[in-house]
Amino acid sequence: MERKFTQEDNIKYSLKEYEGEIKLLHYNKKTREVEYLEVFVTKSYNPKILENSTQWISYKNFEYVELLPYDT
């Protein structure tokens, strides 16, 4: 099953232990499927990942991405 993400989704990435907001979706020009996500880190539980940094998540690791509820 293909995962559906949108810009500004809040996510938790369990593989590298951080939470963030999707800033950009990068698409494959031929298949038009999402190749990777560009994420702004808002909370990090990993000392190697700094808060307020940018990280990239490959489509190969989308299974480790969990959508978080929006703040209301």
Side-chain angles (χ1 to χ4, degrees):
M1 183 178 94
E2 183 183 340
R3 302 287 302 265
K4 298 290 184 186
F5 300 105
T6 60
Q7 204 166 339
E8 298 183 359
D9 274 347
N10 293 313
I11 61 148
K12 180 176 183 178
Y13 186 43
S14 61
L15 188 63
K16 292 200 176 178
E17 302 174 331
Y18 66 80
E19 295 179 11
E21 180 180 324
I22 297 174
K23 288 299 178 185
L24 288 171
L25 298 130
H26 295 268
Y27 292 90
N28 180 302
K29 291 178 183 175
K30 292 180 183 175
T31 65
R32 296 186 180 167
E33 292 184 8
V34 176
E35 279 196 321
Y36 62 95
L37 307 173
E38 188 171 326
V39 178
F40 179 76
V41 178
T42 56
K43 190 182 295 183
S44 177
Y45 307 100
N46 180 339
K48 295 181 181 178
I49 306 290
L50 299 175
E51 290 185 8
N52 300 319
S53 66
T54 300
Q55 297 291 313
W56 294 266
I57 304 172
S58 168
Y59 72 92
K60 295 176 185 176
N61 294 321
F62 284 177
E63 65 186 283
Y64 302 104
V65 177
E66 175 187 340
L67 290 172
L68 296 176
Y70 284 97
D71 294 332
T72 54

